[in-house]
Amino acid sequence: MSKRLILNSASAAVLYAVNIVIAFIMSPVVVRALGNRDYGIWEMLLSFCGYMGILELGLGPAVIRYVAREMALQNQDSLNRVFNSAFWCLLLVGLLSLIGMCLVALIPETLLNLQPGEIESLSMLCVMAGFNLLVQFIGTLFVAFLMGRQEHFLVNMFRAFVYSAQAVLVFLALTRWEGSKLIWVAGITLAGNIFQYGVLCGLVFRREGSLSLSRSGFSYSTMKELYLFGLKSALLMVSDRIQRQSLPVIIGHTIGASSVVFFALPKRLVDYARDFVVSLGFPLMPYFSGVDALRQEGERMKEWVPVSRAVSFLTLPAAATVMALGEPFLNIWLGAEYGENGRWVVMALGASFLLTGMFSNSTRVLIAADKHGRPAKKALCISIAAVSSAIPITRWYGVTGSAVVLLAADLTACWVFWAAASKHIRITLPEHIDATVRPLLIPFLLLAGWLAAARILFVFSAYWGLATTAIIGFSLYLIAAWKFSLKKVEKDSFKIHLRNFFRKNVPPVRFSTAETKK
């Protein structure tokens, strides 16, 4: 089992790396081939699809949990009911999404803030997006089923292959092929998803010979059980989707589709850094579940401090680097226009990453203890308020205003979850700051000082300059953290683990008898 867990985690890291490389290479190609306006239209369509994705209501994670449970119990009948109930529910919401996008196709210019006839085949683009949603909803079941069987490695590596192949085809379509670029991108995305989920469907049935798809296998009680499990977490997803998917649409309607790119790409840059830290923290939710189960009622959660300090150890340098080097990276990656217009977007969203990252375990602890229902409802209200205020603020201050609204919403939601988590784990805000953030203050200030000096002293015109600056900054951060942040016990423990690692993995140097005599 430990080998499988290692393979699953490693494959997730590979998939994440593949996505980063593809985005790094393809984003400039896509922006230049489509242009700011068409890229903004694409982002707005993705936002509409994101709204439709709310209809899933946490069914995917619920399937993962119940498939794993029924397989452990070797209950084939229940496994069939889970599969069939989820399939028919996802098929229904997929069809509803397709109908919704077909309705969008009737008045696409109105919803995308365009002149009639300005973009040819726009209605076809909306319909293709609807079919893509249908395929993705049904495909969610096959992905969740395989992950419930602990076959993450298979899913992740196959997806890495599919995404790479899609990227090659999109590159050829945008640079070599004739016709509407948007239609090509949408068509390749749809074809790739049909191929991907078709293969995964075959894997599900090939490895589960007794699994069968039928209407008689649908169970209302199983459907209710799945949705009740996923609903609380789905509420968090809904609030996040409303908040983040609405902003591209608001920007497109208030200041034009061409401006969406100046928000979407800087935000994506910050998301890459944030997602990396979040992916490393995925195992913490089940970890907190086990800790919470064994903890006595009213007892303080002792594990909170070291785990939260470890997350802050990663968050602080990552956020500082993005905030300091984000603009010059955009200049080199996409062009000076994007760095200049995205400067304050990177700063605002980087500040959100920095501040919320110090309390990121709050949500994990509450979900693990099944106490996230009320904070999730408050987060939904915060998202609705943020979207409402974003309309006038974006009109007055452009994409920077949208980023500031997102920063304010993130900080408010973060406080709501921290307030609930602090009561549950029995720790005060000063205690948390003193134990997790204060020990890292000197390393962080040293890193921030170096990055600020580098921005003043150097003109970055190539990636190697950014990479060198970041490496020097991280080195200073690690040296200062070793000197000022780690306790003697922690240093000794690290030395022991490092020594054991080399003993197990580095073969000893052996001399021959002749060499020994010499």
Side-chain angles (χ1 to χ4, degrees):
M1 181 59 69
S2 60
K3 183 178 179 180
R4 174 170 288 187
L5 289 174
I6 292 171
L7 283 174
N8 289 340
S9 299
S11 66
V14 170
L15 180 61
Y16 180 82
V18 167
N19 283 326
I20 291 293
V21 171
I22 290 173
F24 177 75
I25 296 173
M26 290 301 299
S27 291
V29 176
V30 174
V31 170
R32 287 164 189 156
L34 296 182
N36 290 349
R37 184 199 62 182
D38 284 7
Y39 187 87
I41 291 170
W42 180 249
E43 284 288 337
M44 293 167 73
L45 276 175
L46 290 179
S47 295
F48 282 119
C49 292
Y51 281 131
M52 301 296 181
I54 291 173
L55 295 173
E56 182 196 336
L57 293 177
L59 200 58
V63 170
I64 295 175
R65 190 255 185 183
Y66 280 93
V67 165
R69 188 187 70 172
E70 301 306 336
M71 289 196 66
L73 297 174
Q74 297 183 346
N75 192 335
Q76 189 61 44
D77 291 338
S78 295
L79 193 64
N80 260 307
R81 284 196 296 271
V82 169
F83 180 84
N84 281 278
S85 300
F87 175 83
W88 295 110
C89 289
L90 288 168
L91 176 62
L92 176 61
V93 297
L95 291 172
L96 290 175
S97 298
L98 174 59
I99 293 171
M101 292 307 296
C102 288
L103 293 176
V104 172
L106 298 176
I107 49 171
E109 290 87 0
T110 302
L111 293 176
L112 296 174
N113 193 26
L114 299 169
Q115 296 298 321
E118 185 176 349
I119 301 293
E120 62 179 33
S121 304
L122 190 57
S123 295
M124 183 188 298
L125 190 66
C126 295
V127 174
M128 292 174 70
F131 276 105
N132 195 41
L133 277 170
L134 173 62
V135 173
Q136 284 184 313
F137 272 119
I138 297 174
T140 297
L141 171 62
F142 305 128
V143 173
F145 202 93
L146 290 170
M147 287 188 169
R149 293 196 324 211
Q150 289 294 310
E151 295 184 1
H152 299 66
F153 176 80
L154 181 65
V155 174
N156 290 334
M157 298 309 294
F158 178 65
R159 280 183 148 180
F161 164 75
V162 172
Y163 295 157
S164 300
Q166 280 183 309
V168 172
L169 292 175
V170 169
F171 178 82
L172 293 174
L174 294 177
T175 58
R176 306 286 177 84
W177 300 348
E178 299 295 330
S180 171
K181 306 297 185 184
L182 281 172
I183 293 295
W184 275 121
V185 172
I188 292 169
T189 303
L190 176 59
N193 283 333
I194 292 174
F195 171 72
Q196 175 190 169
Y197 295 124
V199 171
L200 295 180
C201 172
L203 290 174
V204 167
F205 282 99
R206 182 175 66 84
R207 301 206 176 186
E208 283 294 336
S210 56
L211 195 67
S212 61
L213 177 63
S214 64
R215 283 182 296 177
S216 60
F218 178 83
S219 166
Y220 283 104
S221 60
T222 302
M223 178 195 71
K224 181 179 178 181
E225 194 173 359
L226 290 171
Y227 273 116
L228 284 177
F229 178 85
L231 199 56
K232 290 182 181 178
S233 297
L235 200 57
L236 290 174
M237 179 192 72
V238 170
S239 62
D240 184 74
R241 292 280 178 91
I242 289 175
Q243 181 175 297
R244 297 179 186 277
Q245 300 291 348
S246 297
L247 290 177
V249 178
I250 290 172
I251 293 170
H253 270 270
T254 53
I255 56 179
S258 299
S259 299
V260 175
V261 66
F262 301 122
F263 175 83
L265 289 174
K267 177 181 178 297
R268 193 161 295 161
L269 180 62
V270 178
D271 285 344
Y272 291 148
R274 188 197 300 264
D275 291 345
F276 173 72
V277 176
V278 170
S279 66
L280 295 178
F282 278 152
L284 292 178
M285 201 276 283
Y287 169 77
F288 281 131
S289 295
V291 170
D292 193 74
L294 297 174
R295 186 168 62 101
Q296 297 294 326
E297 184 68 28
E299 182 185 3
R300 174 177 291 194
M301 184 179 285
K302 299 175 183 178
E303 293 80 1
W304 169 269
V305 169
V307 173
S308 295
R309 187 152 66 110
V311 174
S312 296
F313 182 83
L314 297 172
T315 299
L316 294 177
T321 304
V322 168
M323 293 174 69
L325 303 181
E327 181 186 353
F329 182 86
L330 289 171
N331 289 336
I332 301 170
W333 189 32
L334 300 166
E337 177 188 13
Y338 300 93
E340 181 180 353
N341 287 283
R343 174 190 305 150
W344 295 111
V345 176
V346 170
M347 293 297 291
L349 300 185
S352 170
F353 175 30
L354 176 69
L355 296 172
T356 59
M358 299 177 188
F359 304 90
S360 59
N361 284 332
S362 303
T363 306
R364 297 186 181 110
V365 164
L366 292 174
I367 293 175
D370 195 21
K371 294 183 179 297
H372 60 296
R374 183 173 295 179
K377 294 177 183 177
K378 293 180 180 179
L380 179 60
C381 295
I382 292 168
S383 295
I384 294 172
V387 169
S388 302
S389 62
I391 297 173
I393 292 175
T394 301
R395 191 182 303 277
W396 298 332
Y397 300 105
V399 294
T400 301
S402 296
V404 171
V405 168
L406 190 54
L407 167 63
D410 284 345
L411 294 183
T412 307
C414 177
W415 177 255
V416 167
F417 279 97
W418 159 252
S422 63
K423 293 179 182 178
H424 178 67
I425 62 179
R426 297 187 175 274
I427 190 172
T428 65
L429 181 60
E431 289 173 334
H432 170 78
I433 296 295
D434 187 64
T436 61
V437 178
R438 188 185 60 80
L440 298 169
L441 192 57
I442 294 177
F444 174 75
L445 292 176
L446 189 61
L447 169 64
W450 160 250
L451 293 174
R455 284 296 307 273
I456 295 171
L457 297 174
F458 307 131
V459 176
F460 296 102
S461 58
Y463 291 117
W464 69 266
L466 292 173
T468 302
T469 301
I471 291 171
I472 293 174
F474 279 117
S475 299
L476 293 172
Y477 180 81
L478 292 175
I479 293 170
W482 180 268
K483 178 69 175 177
F484 300 105
S485 303
L486 296 182
K487 301 174 184 177
K488 185 178 184 304
V489 176
E490 293 170 330
K491 293 180 182 179
D492 293 340
S493 176
F494 177 79
K495 291 177 182 177
I496 292 171
H497 281 89
L498 191 64
R499 190 182 303 119
N500 291 337
F501 173 81
F502 279 105
R503 284 177 178 174
K504 291 179 180 179
N505 295 280
V506 179
V509 178
R510 300 185 183 277
F511 297 96
S512 65
T513 306
E515 289 174 329
T516 305
K517 291 180 178 179
K518 290 180 181 178

